[in-house]
Amino acid sequence: MAQADIFKQRLTSAHEGIQVEIVVKETEGDINQIQPLTELEGKDFFTKDIQDYLMSGQADFAVHSLKDVSGENFFKDNTYAIIERDDVHDVAIFNEAVLDKLGDGKTVMIGTSSPRRVEMAMEFLGKALPMINEHHIKIEASMIRGNVDTRLRKLEGGEYDGIILACAGLNRLLRSSSNQEVESLLRNKRLMILPLMECPPAPGQGAIVAETSPGNEEALRILRSLNDDALAKAVNEERKLAHKYGSGCHQKFGVVHIDTGNTSFTYAAGKDRNNKPFSETMPAGIALRKSETELSQKESDLIDKHISLFTSVESIAKRKEQSEHAWVSKTDLWFDLAQQGVWVQGSFEGFGWTFIEETIKSPLVAKFNSKG
C-alpha cells in the first residue's frame, strides 16, 4: 500500500487532474504465510494475481516490488517503468535482550525466510555481533513469514532474537501517514545495516516497478513519462548479472549495482544454481573512492551530526564509553571491534561518506540515532 501511494503521488504530480483509485488485490504470497516460499510451486507469488487482474482490463496499472518479479516475461516489452528506489541494504533488527544472550553464550535466533540471507547474512552476523564475556557467537536461522509489521510483532513477542528485513520497506512505512505501529515496534531495538559487499541484496531490491497491459496506449504514455532511466539501467544490470547464476526465491546469492560517483559497477556473490560459491564484479578493475581517513572537514562535520565514526581499533579506546551509534570505515574493522564487544551499526565499506550518506540520514537509521 505504501508503494501504491508513492506511485499515486507520482501520477497526480506529473499529470494534473488525473483521478486515481487504488484497488487492493491479495496474492498467493500474501495468503499463504505458513509455507516457506521455496516450497511453493511456480513463481511470482506476490505479483501473478495482480498481473492477471491487470491483463483482464480491471486495472490500468499494477505496482510491484521489483525484486518480487521474475524476469522471464516481465521485461520482454516496454510495458513497465521503474518509479523509484529506496535504500538497497538489508537490515538486522534485534531485541535489546540479545545482549544478555550473547553475554551468556546462548544461541541467537534470527528470523528470515530467504535462502540468500541464510547463506550470507548469517555468516556475516556470526562475525559482526559483539563478543561479550569472551563467549563465541552462536547463531541460528529460523523461518519467518508475514509482512513487515507482522514480523516486527513476532520479534517484539520474543519468537526471535533478531529478524532481517529490507531497509526500503521500513523507510517507506516510517515515511507514511500510518506508521505509528511500526514506530512503536522499533522502540528499544538494536540494528545493524548489513554491508552490500558482504551481504548483497536481491536484484532490484528497494525498487518500485509499475506496469500496464501492452494495448493500453494512454497508460503506456504515462508510464514512459514516469520511468527513471538511470534506475532502470541499474536494476537491469543487476538482473542481467543474476541471470547467469540462477533465478527465483530459492537462490543463495545477491546482486547489487553500486555507484559512488567516482566508480560504478555491478557486484554479485553467494552460491549459484549448482550451490557453488562465486563472486563477480562487472566491470573489473574498479578504482575505489578515497578512504574515510581522507574525509574533508565538511564530511567529518556531517558525520558527527549522525554517528560516531571509527577508523581504527585504537580510536575506540579514546572514548570513555562505547558509542551507541558506532559506524566503521571498513568492514574488517567492524569484525575487530566486535571481538572487543562493540556493537557496530554499519560500515562505509571503504567507499566514503557519499556512499552511505542517504542510508545514515534515512528514516530508519535516523530513528535509532536521533540525538534529540
Side-chain angles (χ1 to χ4, degrees), residues 231-268:
L231 285 181
K233 180 179 179 181
V235 298
N236 278 307
E237 288 297 312
E238 292 176 6
R239 297 177 76 91
K240 182 168 63 177
L241 184 54
H243 186 68
K244 292 176 59 176
Y245 298 102
S247 61
C249 59
H250 61 285
Q251 297 300 333
K252 299 179 181 179
F253 66 85
V255 187
V256 63
H257 183 78
I258 293 176
D259 190 344
T260 69
N262 287 353
T263 183
S264 180
F265 62 96
T266 307
Y267 172 74

Side-chain angles (χ1 to χ4, degrees), residues 35 90 128 150 172 185 205-206 237 244 249 278 322 328 359:
Q35 287 179 276
D90 279 335
T150 298
R172 288 179 182 130
L185 290 169
Q205 181 160 305
E237 288 297 312
K244 292 176 59 176
C249 59
F278 78 94
Q322 175 186 329
V328 293
T359 296

Side-chain angles (χ1 to χ4, degrees), residues 43-286:
K43 296 181 179 180
D44 295 322
F45 310 117
F46 293 101
T47 59
K48 186 178 184 303
D49 295 306
I50 294 173
Q51 288 172 314
D52 290 345
Y53 197 82
L54 172 70
M55 295 307 172
S56 68
Q58 299 178 78
D60 294 297
F61 302 101
V63 181
H64 314 287
S65 295
L66 183 62
K67 72 174 184 177
D68 291 335
V69 180
S70 70
E72 294 179 359
N73 299 312
F74 193 78
F75 294 95
K76 66 182 180 180
D77 51 35
N78 189 22
T79 62
Y80 70 94
I82 309 300
I83 304 304
E84 73 148 33
R85 193 173 202 182
D86 208 297
D87 196 326
V88 301
H89 290 83
D90 279 335
V91 58
I93 299 177
F94 298 88
N95 286 321
E96 188 71 26
V98 71
L99 294 175
D100 295 329
K101 278 203 164 184
L102 292 169
D104 294 337
K106 295 181 179 179
T107 299
V108 173
M109 192 65 65
I110 305 294
T112 178
S113 59
S114 163
R116 170 183 58 83
R117 288 169 174 163
V118 171
E119 181 65 35
M120 308 191 76
M122 297 299 289
E123 179 180 354
F124 171 79
L125 290 173
K127 296 181 287 185
L129 284 166
M131 183 183 292
I132 302 175
N133 298 333
E134 298 185 353
H135 288 296
H136 290 290
I137 305 300
K138 299 177 183 177
I139 189 167
E140 185 177 326
S142 179
M143 196 274 288
I144 187 173
R145 290 290 313 279
N147 54 21
V148 171
D149 51 322
T150 298
R151 297 187 190 202
L152 286 172
R153 282 194 293 270
K154 291 179 178 180
L155 175 65
E156 178 77 8
E159 295 182 46
Y160 306 90
D161 300 304
I163 58 175
I164 302 174
L165 299 169
C167 287
L170 285 163
N171 283 330
R172 288 179 182 130
L173 289 172
L174 288 170
R175 290 190 192 99
S176 71
S177 58
S178 57
N179 64 5
Q180 290 85 356
E181 183 178 21
V182 173
E183 287 256 16
S184 176
L185 290 169
L186 287 174
R187 292 193 189 112
N188 302 316
K189 300 293 188 295
R190 287 179 172 262
L191 88 163
M192 286 185 174
I193 303 296
L194 306 186
L196 297 180
M197 301 302 285
E198 297 277 347
C199 306
Q205 181 160 305
I208 298 175
V209 60
E211 65 170 327
T212 188
S213 55
N216 193 332
E217 292 296 332
E218 183 180 2
L220 276 170
R221 177 180 55 80
I222 291 172
L223 276 189
R224 292 188 185 108
S225 71
L226 296 178
N227 185 59
D228 187 315
D229 293 336
L231 285 181
K233 180 179 179 181
V235 298
N236 278 307
E237 288 297 312
E238 292 176 6
R239 297 177 76 91
K240 182 168 63 177
L241 184 54
H243 186 68
K244 292 176 59 176
Y245 298 102
S247 61
C249 59
H250 61 285
Q251 297 300 333
K252 299 179 181 179
F253 66 85
V255 187
V256 63
H257 183 78
I258 293 176
D259 190 344
T260 69
N262 287 353
T263 183
S264 180
F265 62 96
T266 307
Y267 172 74
K271 289 185 177 179
D272 64 16
R273 57 173 62 87
N274 298 315
N275 216 36
K276 181 180 178 181
F278 78 94
S279 65
E280 180 175 356
T281 302
M282 296 181 64
I286 303 302

